[in-house]
Structures are given as C-alpha cells and as structure tokens.
Amino acid sequence: MPEPETTELKTQVLPADAKGISAAAGVFARGGLVAFPTETVYGLGADASNAAAIAHLYQAKGRPAFNPLIAHVADLGAARRIGRFDATAERLAAAFWPGPLTLVVPQADGCPVADLATAGLDTVAIRVPAHPIARALLAAFGGAVVAPSANISGHVSPTTAAHVAADLTGRIDLILDGGPVEVGVESTIVGCFEAPALLRPGGVPSEAIEAVLGRPLARRVTAEMHAAEQPLAPGMLASHYAPRAAVRLEANDLAAGEALLAFGPVNLPGAAGAAAMLNLSPSGDPAEAATHLFGYLRSLDASGARSIAVMPIPNDGLGEAINDRLRRAAAPR
C-alpha cells in the first residue's frame, strides 16, 4: 500500500498529566489529531463530529477504506446523546462499561457523529474505555472521539508513544505519552438488534455477554470482519452504502433524469439539465470530497432521480477510499 500523503505537521509529544490532557482536548476542539493510550494499544483520536478532522485521520493512517469507526465517550450519559439504547443495550452497558465492549445501536435523533465516521449507516458504534488517561481526556474534551489504532494502516499496532512517533510524526498534532499500555485483544462488538449479534469477538467473552442477556448471541462474524484495521458495524457488504437510485461511476456525460455527483470543474455534456447536482469538491480536493461523500449521496438519492452519475475521482490518497465506497454503492443488489 502506498504511504499516506499528508501535509507535514509539527508533532508534539506531551506527558499524559493534567496539562497534557488539557492540551490534547484543545487539539480535538481545533479539529486536530491526538494519539493517546487505551486499554490495548494507542489510539489515534479525532472529534467524532468533525468530518474534516476524520478525513485527515484517514489520510494520516493511509486507511484503505471508509470503514465505520468506533465513537469513544466518557460515560453512559454521553453515549445516550449519540445512540438509542434499548433494554439490551442498557443491560450490557451497565454490566461491561467502562471496558472493552463496543455496542452498535441506532443513532439518536440529532446524533452529532459525522457521516464519515459511521460510513453512512444509521447506526453508531460506541464504547466507554476503561483506561484512566483515555477517560480523563474524553471528560476534558466533552464530546465523542473516534479512535482507531495510532499507526499507519498495515503496520504493527503501537503500545508505546515511541511506536506512535515512528509511524505518525509529521502526520498528527500531538502524542499523549502515558507510558506502555497492556496489549490485549480489541473490543468485543455486539450489535443491539432485534436479536443481539456478535459482530466481532474481543476483550469481553461472548459467554459473559450471554450470561447477562440470558440468551445466546446471534453470530455474524465473517472472514471480512476479521480484516485488519476494520472496526465493525453492520453493513460491510459489497452493496454498502446502497442508495435507492442506481449509481453510475466514471460518468463522462449525463443522461436525462440523472442526478450528478461532481468532483472538480464540471464540464460534462448534459450537466446543465441534471435532475440535481452536488459537487464533492469544486477544487478537486479529496479531503474535502471525503467530508461530503455520504451526505451528498443521501441528498441526491432523496431528489427522486432515477440514477446518480458520478464524475471520475483520482484513485490516489483519499481518492482510493472514496472510490471504494462508491463501488459499494454501485454494486448490483
């Protein structure tokens, strides 16, 4: 995989004391990226409500696709502000939070988590971490933070601040040094659907979850779900995210009745008669395009157009991830 292309940043390394945690919360508030310790490895965090920050996170990691990210919050009250908790979710949160359990629940009304973090799904993956530094940082910031592992995608996960620095110096704003972390498995992911489902095994044994629920978990674990760097939520299928309208890629013209998802200058034949048109980035900036991708697909789908034509998008940098998601949207279904 090619190394990610990012603007060079001056990466600070600060001890994870009160001053460092306050500085890190300020970086999140300004839309920056912070690496910090969790129970298992160092995570690379961004404000979960800031699509531009999340686009930069993908860019810094060289993440191969826009997979759903886990929103980390300080407590159950904060979790309820972004997700809807039924009796099953409430029971599991009471039993296992804080700790290595991620719950996938429907988004709450007005959920602030950016579409880019949920990969366009109407669910959101939420966790309350147990690591004291992570908890202090989330409390200081006051919002949800998405945080995949703090390394370039495909590299070994980091367990010290030095590991993070080796991969991400110049790509992120701040590394919060909390010393070595205990290496463990990733969080268990449970989908709180009509039948609660195990989406990924992890730090909380499925037997313990089933004991709390008093029923077996459905199993939805697949080989694809075990792919590296893929914090899961439902819908990771070939035809995801699938609008109602057909999606036509690499469009070099526009047919009658089609909507247009543009990128860069628009000079396609037929564009003037588009049923609806939105431009991911008039300047051709992939990072800007990433922030708009899912919302614009939804808006064009809601226009009533019979199909959505998508202009070509270069496949380098974040363009690779944008094209991956568009191919899923266009897959036969």
Side-chain angles (χ1 to χ4, degrees), residues 218-257:
R219 258 59 176 178
R220 298 191 186 178
V221 180
T222 69
E224 182 182 4
M225 289 180 175
H226 285 295
E229 294 301 302
Q230 215 168 273
L232 294 175
M236 296 303 293
L237 305 173
S239 180
H240 167 81
Y241 154 82
R244 291 182 298 273
V247 176
R248 184 167 67 90
L249 304 180
E250 302 291 329
N252 52 26
D253 59 10
L254 199 68

PDB file of all heavy atoms in Angstrom, residues 218-257:
ATOM      1  N   ALA A 218     -26.628 -14.056  18.407  1.00  0.00           N
ATOM      2  CA  ALA A 218     -26.517 -14.450  17.001  1.00  0.00           C
ATOM      3  C   ALA A 218     -25.073 -14.231  16.571  1.00  0.00           C
ATOM      4  O   ALA A 218     -24.379 -13.357  17.100  1.00  0.00           O
ATOM      5  CB  ALA A 218     -27.463 -13.629  16.143  1.00  0.00           C
ATOM      6  N   ARG A 219     -24.602 -15.029  15.638  1.00  0.00           N
ATOM      7  CA  ARG A 219     -23.219 -14.909  15.152  1.00  0.00           C
ATOM      8  C   ARG A 219     -23.236 -14.320  13.755  1.00  0.00           C
ATOM      9  O   ARG A 219     -23.851 -14.892  12.852  1.00  0.00           O
ATOM     10  CB  ARG A 219     -22.542 -16.281  15.114  1.00  0.00           C
ATOM     11  CG  ARG A 219     -21.595 -16.559  16.265  1.00  0.00           C
ATOM     12  CD  ARG A 219     -22.222 -16.488  17.620  1.00  0.00           C
ATOM     13  NE  ARG A 219     -21.244 -16.855  18.669  1.00  0.00           N
ATOM     14  CZ  ARG A 219     -21.524 -16.836  19.948  1.00  0.00           C
ATOM     15  NH1 ARG A 219     -22.711 -16.485  20.373  1.00  0.00           N
ATOM     16  NH2 ARG A 219     -20.596 -17.156  20.835  1.00  0.00           N
ATOM     17  N   ARG A 220     -22.568 -13.175  13.592  1.00  0.00           N
ATOM     18  CA  ARG A 220     -22.451 -12.575  12.272  1.00  0.00           C
ATOM     19  C   ARG A 220     -20.990 -12.327  11.937  1.00  0.00           C
ATOM     20  O   ARG A 220     -20.663 -11.420  11.190  1.00  0.00           O
ATOM     21  CB  ARG A 220     -23.235 -11.266  12.189  1.00  0.00           C
ATOM     22  CG  ARG A 220     -24.729 -11.452  12.399  1.00  0.00           C
ATOM     23  CD  ARG A 220     -25.485 -10.211  12.044  1.00  0.00           C
ATOM     24  NE  ARG A 220     -26.898 -10.351  12.373  1.00  0.00           N
ATOM     25  CZ  ARG A 220     -27.798  -9.386  12.201  1.00  0.00           C
ATOM     26  NH1 ARG A 220     -27.437  -8.224  11.704  1.00  0.00           N
ATOM     27  NH2 ARG A 220     -29.051  -9.577  12.528  1.00  0.00           N
ATOM     28  N   VAL A 221     -20.111 -13.081  12.542  1.00  0.00           N
ATOM     29  CA  VAL A 221     -18.683 -12.906  12.314  1.00  0.00           C
ATOM     30  C   VAL A 221     -18.315 -13.583  11.002  1.00  0.00           C
ATOM     31  O   VAL A 221     -18.653 -14.729  10.767  1.00  0.00           O
ATOM     32  CB  VAL A 221     -17.868 -13.516  13.462  1.00  0.00           C
ATOM     33  CG1 VAL A 221     -16.387 -13.330  13.211  1.00  0.00           C
ATOM     34  CG2 VAL A 221     -18.273 -12.865  14.779  1.00  0.00           C
ATOM     35  N   THR A 222     -17.643 -12.858  10.119  1.00  0.00           N
ATOM     36  CA  THR A 222     -17.205 -13.409   8.838  1.00  0.00           C
ATOM     37  C   THR A 222     -15.726 -13.139   8.657  1.00  0.00           C
ATOM     38  O   THR A 222     -15.116 -12.368   9.387  1.00  0.00           O
ATOM     39  CB  THR A 222     -17.962 -12.752   7.666  1.00  0.00           C
ATOM     40  OG1 THR A 222     -17.534 -11.386   7.555  1.00  0.00           O
ATOM     41  CG2 THR A 222     -19.465 -12.799   7.866  1.00  0.00           C
ATOM     42  N   ALA A 223     -15.148 -13.757   7.641  1.00  0.00           N
ATOM     43  CA  ALA A 223     -13.726 -13.520   7.352  1.00  0.00           C
ATOM     44  C   ALA A 223     -13.481 -12.058   7.065  1.00  0.00           C
ATOM     45  O   ALA A 223     -12.474 -11.485   7.469  1.00  0.00           O
ATOM     46  CB  ALA A 223     -13.301 -14.382   6.167  1.00  0.00           C
ATOM     47  N   GLU A 224     -14.431 -11.412   6.376  1.00  0.00           N
ATOM     48  CA  GLU A 224     -14.250  -9.990   6.060  1.00  0.00           C
ATOM     49  C   GLU A 224     -14.188  -9.165   7.325  1.00  0.00           C
ATOM     50  O   GLU A 224     -13.452  -8.192   7.428  1.00  0.00           O
ATOM     51  CB  GLU A 224     -15.415  -9.510   5.187  1.00  0.00           C
ATOM     52  CG  GLU A 224     -15.275  -8.051   4.773  1.00  0.00           C
ATOM     53  CD  GLU A 224     -16.465  -7.565   3.957  1.00  0.00           C
ATOM     54  OE1 GLU A 224     -17.424  -8.317   3.775  1.00  0.00           O
ATOM     55  OE2 GLU A 224     -16.402  -6.407   3.517  1.00  0.00           O
ATOM     56  N   MET A 225     -14.947  -9.566   8.354  1.00  0.00           N
ATOM     57  CA  MET A 225     -14.990  -8.794   9.586  1.00  0.00           C
ATOM     58  C   MET A 225     -13.684  -8.887  10.363  1.00  0.00           C
ATOM     59  O   MET A 225     -13.424  -8.089  11.247  1.00  0.00           O
ATOM     60  CB  MET A 225     -16.156  -9.252  10.458  1.00  0.00           C
ATOM     61  CG  MET A 225     -17.505  -8.864   9.910  1.00  0.00           C
ATOM     62  SD  MET A 225     -18.830  -9.423  10.984  1.00  0.00           S
ATOM     63  CE  MET A 225     -20.251  -8.684  10.166  1.00  0.00           C
ATOM     64  N   HIS A 226     -12.858  -9.885  10.044  1.00  0.00           N
ATOM     65  CA  HIS A 226     -11.575 -10.008  10.729  1.00  0.00           C
ATOM     66  C   HIS A 226     -10.458  -9.266  10.008  1.00  0.00           C
ATOM     67  O   HIS A 226      -9.317  -9.302  10.445  1.00  0.00           O
ATOM     68  CB  HIS A 226     -11.198 -11.488  10.862  1.00  0.00           C
ATOM     69  CG  HIS A 226     -11.991 -12.196  11.907  1.00  0.00           C
ATOM     70  ND1 HIS A 226     -11.900 -11.882  13.238  1.00  0.00           N
ATOM     71  CD2 HIS A 226     -12.904 -13.194  11.818  1.00  0.00           C
ATOM     72  CE1 HIS A 226     -12.708 -12.667  13.932  1.00  0.00           C
ATOM     73  NE2 HIS A 226     -13.332 -13.464  13.099  1.00  0.00           N
ATOM     74  N   ALA A 227     -10.780  -8.597   8.893  1.00  0.00           N
ATOM     75  CA  ALA A 227      -9.745  -7.885   8.148  1.00  0.00           C
ATOM     76  C   ALA A 227      -9.075  -6.851   9.040  1.00  0.00           C
ATOM     77  O   ALA A 227      -9.710  -6.247   9.890  1.00  0.00           O
ATOM     78  CB  ALA A 227     -10.349  -7.214   6.919  1.00  0.00           C
ATOM     79  N   ALA A 228      -7.790  -6.655   8.853  1.00  0.00           N
ATOM     80  CA  ALA A 228      -7.038  -5.726   9.693  1.00  0.00           C
ATOM     81  C   ALA A 228      -7.612  -4.325   9.590  1.00  0.00           C
ATOM     82  O   ALA A 228      -8.090  -3.892   8.552  1.00  0.00           O
ATOM     83  CB  ALA A 228      -5.572  -5.714   9.257  1.00  0.00           C
ATOM     84  N   GLU A 229      -7.556  -3.605  10.721  1.00  0.00           N
ATOM     85  CA  GLU A 229      -7.950  -2.210  10.770  1.00  0.00           C
ATOM     86  C   GLU A 229      -9.402  -2.009  10.354  1.00  0.00           C
ATOM     87  O   GLU A 229      -9.722  -1.072   9.646  1.00  0.00           O
ATOM     88  CB  GLU A 229      -7.033  -1.367   9.860  1.00  0.00           C
ATOM     89  CG  GLU A 229      -5.611  -1.330  10.343  1.00  0.00           C
ATOM     90  CD  GLU A 229      -5.500  -0.766  11.733  1.00  0.00           C
ATOM     91  OE1 GLU A 229      -5.932   0.370  11.960  1.00  0.00           O
ATOM     92  OE2 GLU A 229      -5.005  -1.459  12.626  1.00  0.00           O
ATOM     93  N   GLN A 230     -10.305  -2.857  10.816  1.00  0.00           N
ATOM     94  CA  GLN A 230     -11.696  -2.723  10.403  1.00  0.00           C
ATOM     95  C   GLN A 230     -12.615  -2.772  11.617  1.00  0.00           C
ATOM     96  O   GLN A 230     -13.257  -3.769  11.880  1.00  0.00           O
ATOM     97  CB  GLN A 230     -12.063  -3.841   9.416  1.00  0.00           C
ATOM     98  CG  GLN A 230     -13.028  -3.388   8.351  1.00  0.00           C
ATOM     99  CD  GLN A 230     -13.153  -4.403   7.247  1.00  0.00           C
ATOM    100  OE1 GLN A 230     -12.384  -4.392   6.312  1.00  0.00           O
ATOM    101  NE2 GLN A 230     -14.114  -5.261   7.335  1.00  0.00           N
ATOM    102  N   PRO A 231     -12.699  -1.674  12.409  1.00  0.00           N
ATOM    103  CA  PRO A 231     -13.678  -1.644  13.486  1.00  0.00           C
ATOM    104  C   PRO A 231     -15.059  -1.733  12.854  1.00  0.00           C
ATOM    105  O   PRO A 231     -15.369  -0.940  11.975  1.00  0.00           O
ATOM    106  CB  PRO A 231     -13.486  -0.281  14.150  1.00  0.00           C
ATOM    107  CG  PRO A 231     -12.251   0.284  13.575  1.00  0.00           C
ATOM    108  CD  PRO A 231     -12.007  -0.426  12.278  1.00  0.00           C
ATOM    109  N   LEU A 232     -15.872  -2.699  13.311  1.00  0.00           N
ATOM    110  CA  LEU A 232     -17.038  -3.060  12.518  1.00  0.00           C
ATOM    111  C   LEU A 232     -18.325  -2.460  13.029  1.00  0.00           C
ATOM    112  O   LEU A 232     -18.534  -2.272  14.199  1.00  0.00           O
ATOM    113  CB  LEU A 232     -17.189  -4.578  12.490  1.00  0.00           C
ATOM    114  CG  LEU A 232     -16.047  -5.258  11.758  1.00  0.00           C
ATOM    115  CD1 LEU A 232     -16.180  -6.734  11.874  1.00  0.00           C
ATOM    116  CD2 LEU A 232     -16.050  -4.815  10.323  1.00  0.00           C
ATOM    117  N   ALA A 233     -19.204  -2.242  12.105  1.00  0.00           N
ATOM    118  CA  ALA A 233     -20.618  -2.033  12.347  1.00  0.00           C
ATOM    119  C   ALA A 233     -21.317  -2.777  11.235  1.00  0.00           C
ATOM    120  O   ALA A 233     -20.670  -3.192  10.270  1.00  0.00           O
ATOM    121  CB  ALA A 233     -20.948  -0.543  12.336  1.00  0.00           C
ATOM    122  N   PRO A 234     -22.621  -2.984  11.327  1.00  0.00           N
ATOM    123  CA  PRO A 234     -23.310  -3.762  10.309  1.00  0.00           C
ATOM    124  C   PRO A 234     -23.228  -3.115   8.944  1.00  0.00           C
ATOM    125  O   PRO A 234     -23.097  -1.903   8.829  1.00  0.00           O
ATOM    126  CB  PRO A 234     -24.769  -3.786  10.794  1.00  0.00           C
ATOM    127  CG  PRO A 234     -24.803  -3.082  12.072  1.00  0.00           C
ATOM    128  CD  PRO A 234     -23.479  -2.507  12.366  1.00  0.00           C
ATOM    129  N   GLY A 235     -23.330  -3.920   7.921  1.00  0.00           N
ATOM    130  CA  GLY A 235     -23.435  -3.391   6.577  1.00  0.00           C
ATOM    131  C   GLY A 235     -22.180  -3.477   5.759  1.00  0.00           C
ATOM    132  O   GLY A 235     -22.138  -2.919   4.666  1.00  0.00           O
ATOM    133  N   MET A 236     -21.140  -4.160   6.251  1.00  0.00           N
ATOM    134  CA  MET A 236     -19.900  -4.228   5.481  1.00  0.00           C
ATOM    135  C   MET A 236     -20.027  -5.283   4.389  1.00  0.00           C
ATOM    136  O   MET A 236     -19.344  -6.302   4.373  1.00  0.00           O
ATOM    137  CB  MET A 236     -18.711  -4.515   6.391  1.00  0.00           C
ATOM    138  CG  MET A 236     -18.460  -3.410   7.400  1.00  0.00           C
ATOM    139  SD  MET A 236     -18.212  -1.791   6.633  1.00  0.00           S
ATOM    140  CE  MET A 236     -16.678  -2.064   5.792  1.00  0.00           C
ATOM    141  N   LEU A 237     -20.938  -5.052   3.472  1.00  0.00           N
ATOM    142  CA  LEU A 237     -21.200  -5.952   2.363  1.00  0.00           C
ATOM    143  C   LEU A 237     -20.784  -5.279   1.071  1.00  0.00           C
ATOM    144  O   LEU A 237     -20.529  -4.083   1.027  1.00  0.00           O
ATOM    145  CB  LEU A 237     -22.701  -6.304   2.309  1.00  0.00           C
ATOM    146  CG  LEU A 237     -23.276  -6.895   3.602  1.00  0.00           C
ATOM    147  CD1 LEU A 237     -24.784  -7.033   3.471  1.00  0.00           C
ATOM    148  CD2 LEU A 237     -22.644  -8.246   3.891  1.00  0.00           C
ATOM    149  N   ALA A 238     -20.754  -6.039  -0.027  1.00  0.00           N
ATOM    150  CA  ALA A 238     -20.353  -5.473  -1.310  1.00  0.00           C
ATOM    151  C   ALA A 238     -21.274  -4.339  -1.725  1.00  0.00           C
ATOM    152  O   ALA A 238     -20.858  -3.376  -2.349  1.00  0.00           O
ATOM    153  CB  ALA A 238     -20.342  -6.559  -2.375  1.00  0.00           C
ATOM    154  N   SER A 239     -22.554  -4.432  -1.377  1.00  0.00           N
ATOM    155  CA  SER A 239     -23.513  -3.407  -1.785  1.00  0.00           C
ATOM    156  C   SER A 239     -23.821  -2.457  -0.645  1.00  0.00           C
ATOM    157  O   SER A 239     -24.964  -2.266  -0.254  1.00  0.00           O
ATOM    158  CB  SER A 239     -24.820  -4.066  -2.255  1.00  0.00           C
ATOM    159  OG  SER A 239     -25.761  -3.078  -2.649  1.00  0.00           O
ATOM    160  N   HIS A 240     -22.804  -1.826  -0.105  1.00  0.00           N
ATOM    161  CA  HIS A 240     -22.975  -0.902   1.010  1.00  0.00           C
ATOM    162  C   HIS A 240     -22.128   0.337   0.686  1.00  0.00           C
ATOM    163  O   HIS A 240     -21.020   0.214   0.221  1.00  0.00           O
ATOM    164  CB  HIS A 240     -22.435  -1.552   2.286  1.00  0.00           C
ATOM    165  CG  HIS A 240     -22.285  -0.573   3.393  1.00  0.00           C
ATOM    166  ND1 HIS A 240     -23.331  -0.178   4.154  1.00  0.00           N
ATOM    167  CD2 HIS A 240     -21.217   0.130   3.844  1.00  0.00           C
ATOM    168  CE1 HIS A 240     -22.919   0.702   5.043  1.00  0.00           C
ATOM    169  NE2 HIS A 240     -21.643   0.907   4.868  1.00  0.00           N
ATOM    170  N   TYR A 241     -22.589   1.490   0.867  1.00  0.00           N
ATOM    171  CA  TYR A 241     -23.903   2.005   1.182  1.00  0.00           C
ATOM    172  C   TYR A 241     -24.731   2.057  -0.102  1.00  0.00           C
ATOM    173  O   TYR A 241     -24.253   2.585  -1.093  1.00  0.00           O
ATOM    174  CB  TYR A 241     -23.717   3.399   1.824  1.00  0.00           C
ATOM    175  CG  TYR A 241     -24.863   4.355   1.684  1.00  0.00           C
ATOM    176  CD1 TYR A 241     -25.949   4.273   2.554  1.00  0.00           C
ATOM    177  CD2 TYR A 241     -24.883   5.313   0.702  1.00  0.00           C
ATOM    178  CE1 TYR A 241     -26.999   5.154   2.436  1.00  0.00           C
ATOM    179  CE2 TYR A 241     -25.935   6.187   0.589  1.00  0.00           C
ATOM    180  CZ  TYR A 241     -26.993   6.115   1.455  1.00  0.00           C
ATOM    181  OH  TYR A 241     -28.045   6.986   1.350  1.00  0.00           O
ATOM    182  N   ALA A 242     -25.938   1.536  -0.132  1.00  0.00           N
ATOM    183  CA  ALA A 242     -26.702   1.423  -1.371  1.00  0.00           C
ATOM    184  C   ALA A 242     -27.875   2.395  -1.384  1.00  0.00           C
ATOM    185  O   ALA A 242     -28.860   2.187  -0.689  1.00  0.00           O
ATOM    186  CB  ALA A 242     -27.208  -0.006  -1.531  1.00  0.00           C
ATOM    187  N   PRO A 243     -27.784   3.470  -2.162  1.00  0.00           N
ATOM    188  CA  PRO A 243     -28.949   4.341  -2.316  1.00  0.00           C
ATOM    189  C   PRO A 243     -30.050   3.617  -3.076  1.00  0.00           C
ATOM    190  O   PRO A 243     -29.833   2.589  -3.712  1.00  0.00           O
ATOM    191  CB  PRO A 243     -28.399   5.510  -3.154  1.00  0.00           C
ATOM    192  CG  PRO A 243     -26.916   5.382  -3.123  1.00  0.00           C
ATOM    193  CD  PRO A 243     -26.620   3.930  -2.901  1.00  0.00           C
ATOM    194  N   ARG A 244     -31.254   4.165  -3.018  1.00  0.00           N
ATOM    195  CA  ARG A 244     -32.354   3.598  -3.802  1.00  0.00           C
ATOM    196  C   ARG A 244     -32.087   3.785  -5.292  1.00  0.00           C
ATOM    197  O   ARG A 244     -32.372   2.912  -6.106  1.00  0.00           O
ATOM    198  CB  ARG A 244     -33.677   4.265  -3.424  1.00  0.00           C
ATOM    199  CG  ARG A 244     -34.158   3.912  -2.015  1.00  0.00           C
ATOM    200  CD  ARG A 244     -35.484   4.562  -1.707  1.00  0.00           C
ATOM    201  NE  ARG A 244     -35.393   6.016  -1.743  1.00  0.00           N
ATOM    202  CZ  ARG A 244     -35.045   6.755  -0.705  1.00  0.00           C
ATOM    203  NH1 ARG A 244     -34.726   6.173   0.440  1.00  0.00           N
ATOM    204  NH2 ARG A 244     -34.982   8.067  -0.783  1.00  0.00           N
ATOM    205  N   ALA A 245     -31.552   4.936  -5.656  1.00  0.00           N
ATOM    206  CA  ALA A 245     -31.232   5.200  -7.063  1.00  0.00           C
ATOM    207  C   ALA A 245     -30.027   4.369  -7.491  1.00  0.00           C
ATOM    208  O   ALA A 245     -29.151   4.055  -6.684  1.00  0.00           O
ATOM    209  CB  ALA A 245     -30.934   6.683  -7.267  1.00  0.00           C
ATOM    210  N   ALA A 246     -29.990   4.011  -8.758  1.00  0.00           N
ATOM    211  CA  ALA A 246     -28.801   3.354  -9.303  1.00  0.00           C
ATOM    212  C   ALA A 246     -27.633   4.341  -9.287  1.00  0.00           C
ATOM    213  O   ALA A 246     -27.837   5.556  -9.357  1.00  0.00           O
ATOM    214  CB  ALA A 246     -29.081   2.891 -10.729  1.00  0.00           C
ATOM    215  N   VAL A 247     -26.431   3.822  -9.182  1.00  0.00           N
ATOM    216  CA  VAL A 247     -25.231   4.666  -9.177  1.00  0.00           C
ATOM    217  C   VAL A 247     -24.370   4.281 -10.376  1.00  0.00           C
ATOM    218  O   VAL A 247     -24.042   3.112 -10.567  1.00  0.00           O
ATOM    219  CB  VAL A 247     -24.441   4.496  -7.866  1.00  0.00           C
ATOM    220  CG1 VAL A 247     -23.140   5.296  -7.919  1.00  0.00           C
ATOM    221  CG2 VAL A 247     -25.288   4.939  -6.671  1.00  0.00           C
ATOM    222  N   ARG A 248     -24.018   5.276 -11.180  1.00  0.00           N
ATOM    223  CA  ARG A 248     -23.203   5.060 -12.386  1.00  0.00           C
ATOM    224  C   ARG A 248     -21.872   5.762 -12.203  1.00  0.00           C
ATOM    225  O   ARG A 248     -21.821   6.985 -12.061  1.00  0.00           O
ATOM    226  CB  ARG A 248     -23.941   5.590 -13.626  1.00  0.00           C
ATOM    227  CG  ARG A 248     -23.210   5.329 -14.935  1.00  0.00           C
ATOM    228  CD  ARG A 248     -24.134   5.594 -16.127  1.00  0.00           C
ATOM    229  NE  ARG A 248     -24.493   6.992 -16.275  1.00  0.00           N
ATOM    230  CZ  ARG A 248     -23.798   7.887 -16.994  1.00  0.00           C
ATOM    231  NH1 ARG A 248     -22.694   7.518 -17.613  1.00  0.00           N
ATOM    232  NH2 ARG A 248     -24.219   9.129 -17.098  1.00  0.00           N
ATOM    233  N   LEU A 249     -20.787   4.996 -12.222  1.00  0.00           N
ATOM    234  CA  LEU A 249     -19.464   5.544 -11.940  1.00  0.00           C
ATOM    235  C   LEU A 249     -18.751   5.982 -13.215  1.00  0.00           C
ATOM    236  O   LEU A 249     -19.134   5.612 -14.321  1.00  0.00           O
ATOM    237  CB  LEU A 249     -18.618   4.491 -11.213  1.00  0.00           C
ATOM    238  CG  LEU A 249     -19.218   3.918  -9.922  1.00  0.00           C
ATOM    239  CD1 LEU A 249     -18.267   2.882  -9.326  1.00  0.00           C
ATOM    240  CD2 LEU A 249     -19.512   5.028  -8.924  1.00  0.00           C
ATOM    241  N   GLU A 250     -17.687   6.787 -13.018  1.00  0.00           N
ATOM    242  CA  GLU A 250     -16.813   7.224 -14.117  1.00  0.00           C
ATOM    243  C   GLU A 250     -17.627   7.880 -15.238  1.00  0.00           C
ATOM    244  O   GLU A 250     -17.350   7.682 -16.430  1.00  0.00           O
ATOM    245  CB  GLU A 250     -16.011   6.040 -14.674  1.00  0.00           C
ATOM    246  CG  GLU A 250     -15.141   5.337 -13.646  1.00  0.00           C
ATOM    247  CD  GLU A 250     -13.964   6.194 -13.192  1.00  0.00           C
ATOM    248  OE1 GLU A 250     -13.473   7.015 -14.005  1.00  0.00           O
ATOM    249  OE2 GLU A 250     -13.541   6.046 -12.036  1.00  0.00           O
ATOM    250  N   ALA A 251     -18.625   8.659 -14.861  1.00  0.00           N
ATOM    251  CA  ALA A 251     -19.510   9.269 -15.864  1.00  0.00           C
ATOM    252  C   ALA A 251     -18.791  10.385 -16.609  1.00  0.00           C
ATOM    253  O   ALA A 251     -18.177  11.262 -15.994  1.00  0.00           O
ATOM    254  CB  ALA A 251     -20.765   9.809 -15.190  1.00  0.00           C
ATOM    255  N   ASN A 252     -18.864  10.352 -17.938  1.00  0.00           N
ATOM    256  CA  ASN A 252     -18.313  11.451 -18.744  1.00  0.00           C
ATOM    257  C   ASN A 252     -19.402  12.187 -19.516  1.00  0.00           C
ATOM    258  O   ASN A 252     -19.114  13.001 -20.391  1.00  0.00           O
ATOM    259  CB  ASN A 252     -17.227  10.941 -19.704  1.00  0.00           C
ATOM    260  CG  ASN A 252     -17.702   9.772 -20.538  1.00  0.00           C
ATOM    261  OD1 ASN A 252     -18.896   9.624 -20.777  1.00  0.00           O
ATOM    262  ND2 ASN A 252     -16.765   8.935 -20.980  1.00  0.00           N
ATOM    263  N   ASP A 253     -20.653  11.876 -19.183  1.00  0.00           N
ATOM    264  CA  ASP A 253     -21.789  12.634 -19.692  1.00  0.00           C
ATOM    265  C   ASP A 253     -22.948  12.395 -18.738  1.00  0.00           C
ATOM    266  O   ASP A 253     -22.842  11.615 -17.794  1.00  0.00           O
ATOM    267  CB  ASP A 253     -22.156  12.219 -21.123  1.00  0.00           C
ATOM    268  CG  ASP A 253     -22.517  10.742 -21.237  1.00  0.00           C
ATOM    269  OD1 ASP A 253     -22.673  10.069 -20.187  1.00  0.00           O
ATOM    270  OD2 ASP A 253     -22.658  10.253 -22.367  1.00  0.00           O
ATOM    271  N   LEU A 254     -24.047  13.091 -18.962  1.00  0.00           N
ATOM    272  CA  LEU A 254     -25.197  12.961 -18.081  1.00  0.00           C
ATOM    273  C   LEU A 254     -26.440  12.721 -18.920  1.00  0.00           C
ATOM    274  O   LEU A 254     -26.716  13.476 -19.861  1.00  0.00           O
ATOM    275  CB  LEU A 254     -25.366  14.231 -17.234  1.00  0.00           C
ATOM    276  CG  LEU A 254     -26.217  14.056 -15.970  1.00  0.00           C
ATOM    277  CD1 LEU A 254     -25.509  13.179 -14.959  1.00  0.00           C
ATOM    278  CD2 LEU A 254     -26.555  15.403 -15.351  1.00  0.00           C
ATOM    279  N   ALA A 255     -27.177  11.667 -18.567  1.00  0.00           N
ATOM    280  CA  ALA A 255     -28.408  11.346 -19.283  1.00  0.00           C
ATOM    281  C   ALA A 255     -29.580  12.088 -18.662  1.00  0.00           C
ATOM    282  O   ALA A 255     -29.515  12.551 -17.512  1.00  0.00           O
ATOM    283  CB  ALA A 255     -28.647   9.839 -19.241  1.00  0.00           C
ATOM    284  N   ALA A 256     -30.660  12.191 -19.423  1.00  0.00           N
ATOM    285  CA  ALA A 256     -31.863  12.856 -18.928  1.00  0.00           C
ATOM    286  C   ALA A 256     -32.359  12.144 -17.675  1.00  0.00           C
ATOM    287  O   ALA A 256     -32.375  10.916 -17.612  1.00  0.00           O
ATOM    288  CB  ALA A 256     -32.942  12.845 -20.010  1.00  0.00           C
ATOM    289  N   GLY A 257     -32.740  12.919 -16.671  1.00  0.00           N
ATOM    290  CA  GLY A 257     -33.286  12.358 -15.442  1.00  0.00           C
ATOM    291  C   GLY A 257     -32.261  11.948 -14.416  1.00  0.00           C
ATOM    292  O   GLY A 257     -32.620  11.536 -13.311  1.00  0.00           O
TER     293      GLY A 257
END
